[in-house]
Amino acid sequence: EVQLVESGGGLVKPGESLRLSCEASGFTFSGYSMTWVRQAPGKGLEWVSYIGTSTFYIYYADSVKGRFTISRDNAQSSLFLQMNSVRPEDSAVYYCARVSDDLDYVSQDYWGQGTLVTVSS
Amino acid sequence: DIQMTQSPSSLSASVGDRVTITCRASQTISTFLNWYQQKPGKAPKLLLYGASSLQRGVPSRFSGSASGTDFTLTISSLQPEDFATYSCQQTYSYPWTFGQGTKVEIK
């Protein structure tokens, strides 16, 4: 059974840093691209970042570029999101999701339960 | 960035109703369009990918179609467990973008 479990969320002050983790199980982690998606309270979904099976392919939303860093440790089947210089508008539930793709589609087929990040002084 | 305009933002329907939700992309995205269902306090769940392919385990009352840059999610006969928020997403180009969501409520 595919499982994704996020951790590392919490209350942090503006300008501080936080590192989110996503532990994967039930599939060959190294064979899949992964993403982070966030959802502010009462708002819609916002894609944050993507990392390919090769870390050569990494993409970010403009809203986090230069402040957040996505990474992965295939040996530990883990995905990470290093969040630096956080802002109140970064407050959200952060989900990690597995990417499923082929020639004519790319989707996020499995999601974790999310971890809440609150940025407030 | 590709904008995804989803409509309506909310709707009220009864069990058994046929429900249609539309998403329009601001430019061509081929069939790189996914639909997700989300219930309160839960993670999104993939319903359809590639505009019209049903994710394994999703009931066949859900279907998707595409016409140019217009995409449609149809629920043929609304069931009690279908009351949720539905969101489209394009994965044609980065940054991936979502529609603003459609909340389906009980009439």
Side-chain angles (χ1 to χ4, degrees), chain B residues 13-94:
Chain B
S14 301
V15 172
D17 284 353
R18 182 182 182 89
V19 169
T20 298
I21 299 168
T22 298
C23 221
R24 173 168 289 174
S26 60
Q27 62 189 76
T28 183
I29 59 170
S30 185
T31 57
F32 287 80
L33 188 285
N34 307 309
W35 289 100
Y36 299 90
Q37 176 194 66
Q38 189 177 24
K39 297 182 178 179
K42 300 295 186 181
K45 172 187 173 183
L46 177 66
L47 296 178
L48 294 140
Y49 60 92
S52 61
S53 295
L54 201 63
Q55 173 69 355
R56 187 168 54 246
V58 173
S60 58
R61 62 181 179 272
F62 292 92
S63 64
S65 63
S67 177
T69 57
D70 291 339
F71 300 85
T72 300
L73 169 68
T74 300
I75 309 172
S76 60
S77 178
L78 199 64
Q79 298 302 299
E81 60 268 30
D82 301 337
F83 292 94
T85 297
Y86 295 84
S87 299
C88 63
Q89 178 201 31
Q90 68 81 19
T91 53
Y92 181 77
S93 68
Y94 295 99

Side-chain angles (χ1 to χ4, degrees), chain A residues 26-95:
Chain A
F27 65 102
T28 304
F29 180 74
S30 60
Y32 287 84
S33 301
M34 300 292 295
T35 65
W36 288 98
V37 174
R38 68 184 181 183
Q39 187 170 38
K43 302 296 185 183
L45 299 165
E46 180 187 14
W47 172 81
V48 172
S49 185
Y50 165 102
I51 186 167
T53 53
S54 160
T55 56
F56 181 80
Y57 296 101
I58 287 178
Y59 304 96
Y60 296 99
D62 287 345
S63 57
V64 307
K65 199 174 296 182
R67 300 186 298 121
F68 290 10
T69 301
I70 191 171
S71 61
R72 63 190 298 160
D73 182 341
N74 290 336
Q76 298 294 322
S77 296
S78 292
L79 176 72
F80 305 102
L81 186 68
Q82 178 67 40
M83 306 169 60
N84 296 334
S85 304
V86 297
R87 305 166 179 168
E89 56 265 35
D90 295 323
S91 297
V93 174
Y94 284 73
Y95 297 100

